[in-house]
């Protein structure tokens, strides 16, 4: 007789990315749903990885990551945000930001602890909270521009609040947190023991001359924050699953306790390559202008359509509003666009509190110009 398995995630179902991806493949649809580029990686970076492999860097790296990479990351953060993280004590390489996020939550969230999550939210946060016995507390961002009501946030803080998760630039909405938002968060948590997890994987994708507001820039936040970053997103190599966590020493000690017995070592030759590649800051500082050109091309191309939109302020996701086209809920509308029109997007309601449906879809514009123009041709006929 088969044993009964007691699930730690009894409510979990296939993610919207799995559902939409499967439909897109079945209907051979143009896929602008998932967040990955379809253009080539910089050949210089590929060459550096190959060189590291040929030089013999093919065995375990140190648990926390190779020192030369942590050193250049420390210099990068200091130069951009004015915060110094000690390479030995306050930086750890992770197998992608999702693993880092799971590790940080596991390190500090205990049974019954409350974790405040701003919705819509990327879908990896809540399962990690649940697996660790935490209780998610949701704050729905307001309107179709997704503004935070800070009074509502403060009203959610209780004696059980252990952690707040923020994400800027924001997936799935393409919005960003302002300096004012960060100061509101900083002031709200002053005098508490509440920690912060800041998901900053799109940090180098902020447009129209706005500035990324890293938690690292704010002393009263950085002292309580795990900052998560992604090389996969920054260098168009999402399949490499490479990133890092920056945090003050007292938090990093707890992070590494979990990390060591979960992942231990991260890809060694890629670390060697990145240590060299990061030394040239232009390899990441030009990303915002590159992707802004993609965004501008896409929104100009779909301007004649019946969709409405405000230009994304960050990430490589553009939201569009279809309320002038259909009354269908966004999940069904997105599915119909795949089967009838041959284009795939992500409905936003699945990320909202109570599946709030504001008739919005998310398209990824980290695609070749040819792909974006083909997508626009379809969108303009809807």
């Amino acid at each position: 007789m088969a044993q009964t398995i007691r699930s730690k995630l009894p409510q979990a179902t296939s993610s919207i990315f799995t559902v939409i991806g499967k439909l897109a493949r079945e209907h051979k649809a143009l896929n602008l749903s998932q967040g990955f580029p379809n253009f080539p990686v910089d050949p210089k970076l590929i060459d550096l990885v190959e060189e590291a492999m040929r030089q013999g860097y093919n065995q375990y790296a140190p648990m926390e990551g190779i020192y030369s990479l942590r050193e250049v990351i420390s210099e990068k953060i200091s130069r951009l945000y004015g915060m110094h993280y000690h390479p030995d004590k306050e930086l750890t390489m992770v197998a992608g930001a999702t693993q880092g996020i799971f590790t940080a939550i596991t390190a500090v969230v205990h049974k019954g602890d409350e974790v405040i999550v701003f919705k819509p939210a990327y879908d990896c946060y809540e399962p990690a909270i649940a697996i660790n016995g935490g209780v998610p507390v949701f704050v729905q961002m307001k309107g179709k521009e997704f503004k935070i009501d800070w009074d509502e946030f403060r009203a959610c803080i209780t004696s059980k609040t252990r952690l707040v998760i923020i994400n800027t630039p924001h997936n799935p909405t393409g919005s960003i947190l302002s300096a004012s938002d960060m100061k509101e968060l900083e002031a709200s948590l002053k005098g508490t023991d509440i920690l912060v997890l800041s998901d900053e994987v799109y940090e180098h994708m902020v447009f129209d001359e706005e500035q990324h507001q890293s938690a690292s820039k704010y002393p009263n936040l950085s002292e309580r924050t795990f900052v998560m970053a992604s090389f996969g997103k920054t260098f168009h190599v999402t399949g490499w699953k490479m990133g890092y966590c920056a945090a003050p020493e007292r938090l990093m000690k707890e992070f590494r306790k979990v990390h060591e017995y979960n992942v231990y070592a991260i890809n060694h030759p890629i670390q060697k390559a990145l240590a060299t590649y990061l030394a040239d800051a232009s390899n990441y500082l030009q990303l915002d202008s590159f992707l802004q050109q993609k965004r501008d091309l896409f929104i100009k191309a779909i301007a004649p359509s019946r969709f409405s939109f405000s230009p994304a302020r960050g990430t490589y996701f553009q939201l569009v509003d279809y309320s002038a086209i259909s009354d269908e809920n966004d999940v069904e509308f997105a599915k119909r666009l795949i089967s009838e029109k041959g284009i795939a997007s992500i409905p936003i309601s699945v990320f909202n509190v109570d599946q709030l449906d504001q008739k919005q879809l998310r398209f990824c514009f980290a695609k070749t110009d040819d792909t974006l123009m083909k997508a626009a041709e379809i969108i303009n006929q809807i």
Side-chain angles (χ1 to χ4, degrees):
M1 181 177 173
Q3 292 178 322
T4 300
I5 297 175
R6 197 168 149 217
S7 176
K8 286 193 170 184
L9 292 173
Q11 308 303 320
T13 58
S14 294
S15 76
I16 192 64
F17 301 104
T18 300
V19 172
I20 294 295
K22 183 173 183 291
L23 277 175
R25 289 190 295 274
E26 288 174 358
H27 292 277
K28 296 181 172 57
L30 190 62
N31 194 348
L32 269 66
S33 61
Q34 279 189 287
F36 61 85
N38 72 337
F39 38 75
V41 180
D42 185 347
K44 291 186 294 183
L45 184 54
I46 300 294
D47 290 344
L48 287 169
V49 175
E50 180 182 1
E51 181 182 344
M53 288 179 174
R54 294 193 183 283
Q55 289 177 348
Y57 294 101
N58 299 305
Q59 309 309 322
Y60 294 125
M63 179 270 290
E64 62 275 16
I66 63 172
Y67 185 83
S68 58
L69 179 53
R70 287 179 284 127
E71 185 176 42
V72 75
I73 291 169
S74 176
E75 292 167 355
K76 166 183 172 286
I77 297 172
S78 179
R79 184 170 60 253
L80 292 178
Y81 310 125
M83 173 65 187
H84 176 72
Y85 290 95
H86 194 288
D88 258 342
K89 301 175 182 179
E90 298 181 319
L91 288 164
T92 299
M93 304 308 302
V94 295
T98 300
Q99 180 257 312
I101 289 165
F102 187 93
T103 298
I105 292 170
T106 302
V108 299
V109 172
H110 299 259
K111 186 176 181 180
D113 285 347
E114 293 178 352
V115 181
I116 297 179
V117 178
F118 295 100
K119 300 281 274 182
Y122 186 61
D123 60 2
C124 80
Y125 306 152
E126 292 157 50
I129 295 166
I131 283 174
N132 287 287
V135 179
V137 176
F138 301 127
V139 177
Q140 177 69 41
M141 293 192 281
K142 305 303 181 185
K144 294 187 177 183
E145 297 300 320
F146 302 97
K147 302 294 186 181
I148 294 175
D149 182 330
W150 288 104
D151 288 333
E152 181 180 341
F153 166 73
R154 284 185 280 271
C156 290
I157 295 174
T158 73
S159 60
K160 295 183 179 180
T161 305
R162 176 64 169 165
L163 181 70
V164 178
I165 301 178
I166 62 173
N167 174 207
T168 186
H170 186 264
N171 179 18
T173 70
S175 61
I176 60 175
L177 293 182
S178 66
S180 175
D181 287 319
M182 300 303 281
K183 289 173 184 175
E184 286 275 11
L185 178 62
E186 190 175 42
S188 300
L189 300 184
K190 189 175 182 179
T192 75
D193 292 327
I194 298 169
L195 304 176
V196 176
L197 172 55
S198 187
D199 179 352
E200 302 183 17
V201 300
Y202 300 100
E203 64 175 316
H204 299 299
M205 306 175 201
V206 179
F207 310 134
D208 303 315
E209 299 185 357
E210 297 198 67
Q211 300 296 313
H212 171 54
Q213 300 300 320
S214 174
S216 302
K217 292 176 67 172
Y218 299 86
N220 292 329
L221 285 181
S222 62
E223 69 180 9
R224 65 175 78 234
T225 299
F226 297 97
V227 174
M228 218 60 63
S230 168
F231 291 124
K233 294 292 192 295
T234 301
F235 296 132
H236 322 310
V237 287
T238 59
W240 289 8
K241 299 298 290 180
M242 290 287 295
Y244 64 86
C245 177
E249 183 178 1
R250 66 188 179 89
L251 296 184
M252 189 55 72
K253 282 182 178 178
E254 298 306 312
F255 183 93
R256 287 179 177 177
K257 288 177 184 178
V258 177
H259 178 80
E260 181 170 7
Y261 294 103
N262 178 18
V263 178
Y264 184 70
I266 309 304
N267 189 297
H268 199 166
I270 292 179
Q271 288 191 61
K272 291 293 293 186
L274 286 170
T276 301
Y277 195 68
L278 277 173
D280 181 354
S282 67
N283 287 325
Y284 53 86
L285 293 180
Q286 294 176 0
L287 184 59
D288 52 1
S289 60
F290 171 73
L291 283 169
Q292 183 172 328
Q293 290 172 2
K294 296 284 185 186
R295 182 204 67 177
D296 291 348
L297 175 71
F298 182 58
I299 62 176
K300 182 179 180 180
I302 66 172
S305 76
R306 293 193 291 163
F307 292 92
S308 59
F309 53 84
S310 297
R313 299 172 70 192
T315 75
Y316 42 51
F317 302 118
Q318 176 63 52
L319 293 196
V320 300
D321 183 320
Y322 67 88
S323 56
I325 301 172
S326 174
D327 290 329
E328 293 168 271
N329 73 64
D330 61 355
V331 175
E332 292 308 312
F333 186 66
K335 289 179 178 179
R336 186 163 68 83
L337 291 189
I338 294 171
S339 61
E340 295 183 9
K341 303 298 182 180
I343 190 164
S345 60
I346 294 293
I348 299 302
S349 67
V350 297
F351 305 106
N352 285 328
V353 173
D354 297 327
Q355 288 73 55
L356 173 67
D357 182 7
Q358 300 189 104
K359 312 301 181 194
Q360 291 175 300
L361 303 177
R362 189 197 80 174
F363 288 96
C364 175
F365 55 81
K367 307 296 179 184
T368 62
D369 291 358
D370 180 60
T371 299
L372 293 175
M373 296 309 290
K374 287 178 181 176
E377 185 177 350
I378 297 171
I379 289 168
N380 290 342
Q381 295 174 356
I382 295 171

